[in-house]
Amino acid sequence: MTTEAHTTEPRSAAQEACDELAAALAEAGIVLPSLGVDLVTYSSQRPSVLIELGRCNVATARRLVAALAKAAR
């Protein structure tokens, strides 16, 4: 996790969260190739921006499960 101040602007906050998630996943050896800010929610008038986690292969899903299980202990 970063110790930097987080922005309050929803779109910037969503991109920051996405970048932080990608970095945390990378530290665990996990890459979600479709990870990104959901463009449909990004462009809405009153943004409630979502992060698109996307799809991954079985090996990546298992690495993600292992990382989450380890973190939960």
Side-chain angles (χ1 to χ4, degrees):
M1 293 204 142
T2 66
T3 57
E4 301 168 14
H6 296 286
T7 182
T8 57
E9 201 271 311
R11 293 174 182 160
S12 295
Q15 188 58 58
E16 284 179 8
C18 187
D19 293 344
E20 290 171 10
L21 179 56
L25 289 168
E27 285 182 24
I30 300 167
V31 175
L32 295 179
S34 301
L35 179 65
V37 176
D38 179 58
L39 297 179
V40 173
T41 59
Y42 186 88
S43 65
S44 67
Q45 277 204 304
R46 186 170 175 187
S48 177
V49 183
L50 300 176
I51 305 299
E52 179 66 49
L53 300 178
R55 301 183 293 184
C56 64
N57 62 32
V58 173
T60 300
R62 289 196 171 132
R63 284 194 303 274
L64 186 54
V65 168
L68 290 171
K70 182 179 177 181
R73 290 184 213 141

